[in-house]
Amino acid sequence: MALISKEGPLHQQMRQWRRDLHQHPETAFEEHRTAAKVAQLLTSFGLEVHTGLAGTGVVATLQGELPGLGSIGLRADMDALNLQELNTFEHCSTNQGKMHGCGHDGHTAMLLGAAKYLSQHRNFSGSVVFIFQPAEEGEAGAQVMCEQGLFEKFKVDAVYGMHNWPGLEAGQFAVHSNAVMASMDVFDIKITGQGCHGGMPHLGVDPVVVAGQLISSLQSIIGRTLNPLESGVVSITQMQGGDAYNVVPDSVTLSGTCRAFSASVQELLESRMRIQVTNICEAFGARGELDYRRVYPSTINDPEHANICATVTSALVGADNVQLDPAPSMGAEDFSFMLQQRPGAYIWIGNGSSEGGRGLHNPHYDFNDEILPLGAQYWVNLVQSQLSENDTTA
Ligand SMILES: [Zn+2]
Ligand SMILES: [Zn+2]
């Protein structure tokens, strides 16, 4: 039974917070207004609030009234994207070129709603640590918080995350017992040949032709060296080189991203790429240099904690509305860094249809305010189930 009622006062407040955040999107490590608002609200609810982790991170703790020492962390991300919003509704972005196109405004509002509710209903034991992190979108705010001692300063037995998911019906959840999101690596390949006259290619070494060979060849890593039962992606997304019709350029740069669900596949992609870059370039008399950077590890749920999430969501919306182990996403998520430090799970909450530009990172996207009470209630029920008196006083 849902306790945070639809269209009740808390839902209306969450909608108001969410739309205010949507109007004022801020990107990686610059979430100053957002963090100030979050900290101010949490303080007004009576939580103990700590600011400054990773710059704009906000962490708040709430003690339950029942005896017990357990503690769980609940995490929301606060940052927006560098994207020009194309919506025209009243609450659309007022910051040029910035947009809450991934729904982190909604994640923040849901966790604030849960904090407010729990501050008024402390029928749990131990403590809840509310983690509002900056810079999820490619800048690894979660990693910075961990490096700055998040879990040393705030002890938690487990940590949980949630992301809205367009394409999954509103009112539904998805829970993965293992891999949820892929790892994200990025790379730059510099191919250096020898520039020359476009009409006299024999006098130089053409890096454009080498780049062509390499682009085709790199796809064979997935097709021919990866076990067909495993998954991975190699995508060249940028090519730069040359600026005249009649000049063979001196060098060409290729850039892109790799995705995987396991460290072993990640390792394979990097090592095979390195071999091909070096040797294919050499075969043409050019020089290849690979700069390969691991940005986010894959997001892997702990099966036991995923099971807890499945139980809590099933009790909330019925087992029919909880998808267990749908295909994971090739997107990436820096909650993975938190899951490397503490056991836990990251689930998806349905945001409704993804059609008509309502997918993540689309300039027409908007978080679905109808799911705010459900998301907040999930957090509340998770706390009540995990921090019940019996579990934690032993
Ligand atoms: Zn995103
Ligand atoms: Zn996101």
Side-chain angles (χ1 to χ4, degrees):
M1 190 184 70
L3 295 169
I4 300 175
S5 56
K6 267 199 148 190
E7 297 308 324
L10 187 52
H11 185 186
Q12 290 176 22
Q13 264 188 324
M14 285 191 282
R15 183 191 287 125
Q16 202 183 17
W17 299 331
R18 206 285 293 179
R19 293 188 175 186
D20 175 72
L21 294 172
H22 194 91
Q23 271 189 307
H24 302 97
E26 297 172 303
T27 47
F29 299 117
E30 292 172 357
E31 304 89 343
H32 299 291
R33 181 189 183 277
T34 308
K37 181 186 171 93
V38 166
Q40 181 261 318
L41 284 169
L42 293 168
T43 305
S44 75
F45 307 153
L47 275 71
E48 202 180 311
V49 178
H50 307 259
T51 56
L53 262 190
T56 44
V58 181
V59 185
T61 54
L62 182 68
Q63 298 292 327
E65 282 169 348
L66 306 179
L69 296 170
S71 178
I72 60 172
L74 311 180
R75 168 272 202 177
D77 37 16
M78 302 187 290
D79 60 317
L81 292 163
N82 286 305
L83 178 65
Q84 181 60 46
E85 179 158 14
L86 294 180
N87 290 313
T88 52
F89 46 58
E90 212 177 314
H91 63 275
C92 72
S93 172
T94 55
N95 291 351
Q96 187 71 14
K98 310 226 181 242
M99 176 189 175
H100 269 295
C102 204
H104 300 181
D105 48 351
H107 303 165
T108 300
M110 289 190 291
L111 193 54
L112 284 170
K116 179 163 189 186
Y117 183 92
L118 287 166
S119 71
Q120 295 165 343
H121 305 82
R122 302 195 186 202
N123 53 344
F124 59 92
S125 65
S127 63
V128 183
V129 178
F130 296 88
I131 303 164
F132 294 85
Q133 74 150 83
E136 190 287 319
E137 297 286 359
E139 304 277 333
Q143 182 183 30
V144 178
M145 285 188 95
C146 290
E147 284 170 357
Q148 294 185 4
L150 172 64
F151 294 127
E152 286 74 43
K153 291 185 171 87
F154 304 94
K155 306 267 183 249
V156 300
D157 306 318
V159 64
Y160 296 91
M162 172 163 61
H163 206 292
N164 77 95
W165 208 253
L168 182 65
E169 270 180 52
Q172 296 196 342
F173 291 92
V175 181
H176 297 78
S177 55
N178 202 268
V180 195
M181 309 287 284
S183 57
M184 175 178 66
D185 302 339
V186 298
F187 58 84
D188 296 293
I189 300 166
K190 186 170 183 198
I191 303 162
T192 308
Q194 190 188 319
C196 61
H197 195 294
M200 306 171 204
H202 60 292
L203 298 178
V205 175
D206 186 353
V208 177
V209 171
V210 185
Q213 295 283 338
L214 199 51
I215 290 167
S216 305
S217 172
L218 288 173
Q219 291 310 316
S220 72
I221 297 175
I222 301 297
R224 301 287 88 178
T225 55
L226 182 64
N227 181 333
L229 298 176
E230 299 207 78
S231 309
V233 178
V234 175
S235 287
I236 308 277
T237 55
Q238 301 174 57
M239 292 177 68
Q240 260 127 25
D243 46 23
Y245 285 112
N246 57 353
V247 177
V248 171
D250 211 49
S251 68
V252 168
T253 304
L254 302 175
S255 303
T257 184
C258 289
R259 307 289 166 119
F261 288 115
S262 69
S264 62
V265 172
Q266 208 178 0
E267 192 62 52
L268 175 92
L269 299 183
E270 179 178 352
S271 63
R272 296 303 304 181
M273 185 173 275
R274 207 167 282 290
I275 290 167
Q276 291 202 4
V277 168
T278 304
N279 292 297
I280 288 173
C281 290
E282 200 179 294
F284 285 84
R287 194 174 75 247
E289 292 160 275
L290 172 65
D291 178 15
Y292 192 100
R293 304 183 297 281
R294 297 185 182 202
V295 184
Y296 287 179
S298 46
T299 305
I300 309 288
N301 283 343
D302 175 71
E304 198 184 309
H305 291 81
N307 193 35
I308 290 168
C309 299
T311 305
V312 170
T313 50
S314 296
L316 183 58
V317 294
D320 289 352
N321 288 312
V322 179
Q323 291 190 23
L324 297 176
D325 287 317
S329 167
M330 278 292 172
E333 165 62 68
D334 76 349
F335 187 66
S336 51
F337 289 105
M338 293 193 186
L339 285 178
Q340 285 186 334
Q341 304 253 324
R342 293 293 179 274
Y346 171 92
I347 68 166
W348 294 343
I349 180 171
N351 198 55
S353 169
S354 61
E355 285 166 21
R358 284 178 284 176
L360 298 174
H361 294 205
N362 185 289
H364 293 286
Y365 168 86
D366 195 29
F367 183 85
N368 182 352
D369 284 325
E370 296 309 302
I371 68 171
L372 289 165
L374 184 61
Q377 190 71 55
Y378 161 70
W379 286 132
V380 168
N381 292 8
L382 181 67
V383 166
Q384 290 171 343
S385 79
Q386 288 313 289
L387 297 176
S388 64
E389 202 171 358
N390 293 341
D391 287 344
T392 51
T393 50

